Amino acid sequence: MDGLLSKLRSLDAYPKVNEDFYSRTLSGGVITLASSVIMLLLFVSELRLYLHAVTETTLRVDTSRGETLRINFDVTFPALQCSIISLDAMDISGQEHLDVKHDVFKQRIDAHGNVIATRQDAVGGMKMEAPLQHHGGRLEHNETYCGSCYGAQESDGQCCNSCEDVREAYRKKGWGVSNPDLLDQCKREGFLQSIKDEEGEGCNIYGFIEVNKVAGNFHFAPGKSFQQSNVHVHDLLPFQKDSFNVSHKINRLSFGEYFPGVVNPLDGASWVQHSSYGMYQYFIKVVPTVYTDINEHIILSNQFSVTEHFRSGESGRMQALPGVFFFYDLSPIKVTFTEQHVSFLHFLTNVCAIVGGVFTVSGIIDSFVYHSQRAIKKKMEIGKFN
């Protein structure tokens, strides 16, 4: 038994030195105190990292199909009234959303940015004082109202009971409304007067749209849009203006849901137009992103990068439709963020590495200082004897 204990004693990697042989120094005490503080700070840092989740980032090819893309926006136009701004969206698959009104809200603002009114409907309100009927006569007592579409109706029984109905019927035909006052509905609703009443105002337009997850664009531009000879155009004649100021500020623009750490580069961006007219363009690269939090709740969202370009008119002719255009394309690479905790074994390994590393380095420093002091002391003693 004694032989076994003796063999175990010989394996001791930490041989003990009698305290009578210890030599304690002032420099050793300072180094010990400093190394203890460093150990404590590194331990607290490692403990915080262990208690809080860390985010792991991976890249992979995006193989998702048939999904939609939600675009959230909040844009302010200080020099364009709400009456004339329309929102359109289209993509390379051929799908179009013209003059989008669903989930889109407009706030009239004054020159100081104060909100005057909020609405989701069209300009003006319906006034039913003996309006023009579909058959050409005026509305009589107990007669059902059915307004004329002025040749733009798709069927004999179609009615255009408001100025917006007439403009929409014209849009589907690819026609432009040259003078709204020639249309009974627009005249009675005071279409042009409503636009004049908003002269000098601005507009804050916000909401969201759902589009196909393919490359496309959406834009804010004056006038009602329609297709003419397979070309997307806007009817600007009813507003009787020679120029449109599309200065704007993007309060918020995002693709998909918010997730922790997301940075949308266009939030707070603004631009001021100095020429009489032109088209401001944003070219956006959308990167699909999946965020999984510590509770394994999955958020499907997107990040994006952007470049900008202004296309102005040339030689007195309008070469570009006035408005703010956002052209977006999708990246084939998907970014995945995953929140997770550091394992306890990893934490324990790091703590041991901190203690052992600091202890070893401080021992080397202490040894260097101690032997340096002894060497200097010996040289000083030799110098005295000489």
Side-chain angles (χ1 to χ4, degrees):
M1 185 68 178
D2 291 339
L4 179 60
L5 295 177
S6 178
K7 290 181 178 179
L8 288 175
R9 190 178 296 112
S10 66
L11 296 176
D12 186 4
Y14 311 98
K16 311 304 183 291
V17 180
N18 195 311
E19 291 187 3
D20 295 337
F21 298 98
Y22 284 159
S23 177
R24 302 182 186 277
T25 63
L26 178 62
S27 61
V30 173
I31 293 173
T32 301
L33 182 61
S35 61
S36 299
V37 172
I38 294 174
M39 283 184 193
L40 180 61
L41 293 176
L42 293 177
F43 173 77
V44 171
S45 176
E46 194 65 30
L47 181 62
R48 289 180 61 187
L49 183 63
Y50 171 70
L51 295 178
H52 292 80
V54 295
T55 303
E56 180 183 354
T57 304
T58 57
L59 300 176
R60 61 187 64 181
V61 176
D62 185 13
T63 58
S64 59
R65 297 181 180 179
E67 297 180 358
T68 59
L69 182 64
R70 175 166 173 159
I71 304 174
N72 309 292
F73 57 86
D74 183 349
V75 185
T76 299
F77 295 89
L80 279 182
Q81 55 264 51
C82 291
S83 305
I84 68 176
I85 299 179
S86 64
L87 168 62
D88 300 329
M90 54 198 68
D91 57 50
I92 60 174
S93 69
Q95 187 170 11
E96 294 183 340
H97 304 273
L98 303 181
D99 198 14
V100 181
K101 290 185 172 62
H102 186 65
D103 297 316
V104 176
F105 300 87
K106 295 179 179 179
Q107 288 183 326
R108 293 170 54 192
I109 57 176
D110 59 21
H112 303 288
N114 301 315
V115 177
I116 300 173
T118 302
R119 70 158 181 258
Q120 193 181 7
D121 55 350
V123 180
M126 191 62 190
K127 297 180 180 179
M128 297 293 294
E129 183 181 351
L132 185 67
Q133 285 283 63
H134 178 72
H135 51 70
R138 293 293 175 179
L139 181 65
E140 298 177 357
H141 184 65
N142 294 330
E143 185 179 7
T144 302
Y145 177 60
C146 180
S148 172
C149 295
Y150 305 93
Q153 63 271 13
E154 296 179 339
S155 61
D156 293 337
Q158 181 180 349
C159 302
C160 295
N161 294 343
S162 66
C163 182
E164 183 66 19
D165 291 343
V166 178
R167 296 179 67 206
E168 182 65 17
Y170 269 53
R171 182 191 67 79
K172 292 180 179 180
K173 285 285 188 179
W175 300 350
V177 179
S178 58
N179 187 357
D181 275 346
L182 297 179
L183 305 177
D184 188 68
Q185 292 89 329
C186 296
K187 185 176 180 180
R188 289 182 173 274
E189 292 177 17
F191 178 82
L192 290 179
Q193 187 60 42
S194 298
I195 296 176
K196 291 178 181 178
D197 291 343
E198 294 182 11
E199 192 69 35
E201 295 180 3
C203 185
N204 171 234
I205 179 170
Y206 64 93
F208 69 89
I209 53 175
E210 294 272 356
V211 297
N212 293 327
K213 197 174 179 181
V214 295
N217 81 83
F218 66 98
H219 55 268
F220 303 93
K224 183 174 284 292
S225 58
F226 57 92
Q227 291 289 336
Q228 190 175 71
S229 301
N230 295 323
V231 177
H232 181 80
V233 296
H234 280 244
D235 184 12
L236 305 179
L237 292 176
F239 307 118
Q240 301 176 358
K241 296 181 65 173
D242 296 328
S243 64
F244 297 90
N245 188 340
V246 295
S247 299
H248 60 278
K249 178 181 180 181
I250 302 175
N251 305 305
R252 180 176 65 98
L253 179 68
S254 62
F255 294 80
E257 296 183 49
Y258 169 84
F259 63 89
V262 63
V263 176
N264 298 315
L266 285 179
D267 287 0
S270 60
W271 177 79
V272 178
Q273 178 176 320
H274 298 289
S275 59
S276 58
Y277 47 79
M279 172 194 295
Y280 203 80
Q281 301 169 315
Y282 293 95
F283 298 92
I284 298 173
K285 176 66 73 172
V286 179
V287 182
T289 303
V290 179
Y291 188 91
T292 305
D293 62 19
I294 198 65
N295 298 317
E296 297 187 353
H297 175 246
I298 298 176
I299 300 175
L300 301 178
S301 188
N302 302 274
Q303 302 176 86
F304 67 92
S305 61
V306 61
T307 56
E308 307 171 23
H309 176 70
F310 176 65
R311 183 180 174 188
S312 62
E314 298 176 358
S315 303
R317 297 177 59 192
M318 186 170 291
Q319 302 294 325
L321 173 69
V324 180
F325 285 68
F326 297 84
F327 299 90
Y328 57 89
D329 193 10
L330 295 169
S331 170
I333 302 298
K334 177 189 295 184
V335 180
T336 302
F337 296 111
T338 306
E339 279 188 346
Q340 56 187 9
H341 278 301
V342 176
S343 67
F344 178 73
L345 290 178
H346 185 77
F347 166 72
L348 191 61
T349 301
N350 287 349
V351 170
C352 292
I354 290 171
V355 174
V358 174
F359 185 81
T360 301
V361 172
S362 61
I364 294 173
I365 296 174
D366 178 65
S367 177
F368 174 77
V369 172
Y370 175 72
H371 288 93
S372 298
Q373 287 177 341
R374 288 191 60 183
I376 293 172
K377 187 175 182 181
K378 283 184 179 181
K379 287 184 178 181
M380 291 177 64
E381 291 176 352
I382 293 173
K384 287 181 179 180
F385 286 115
N386 293 335

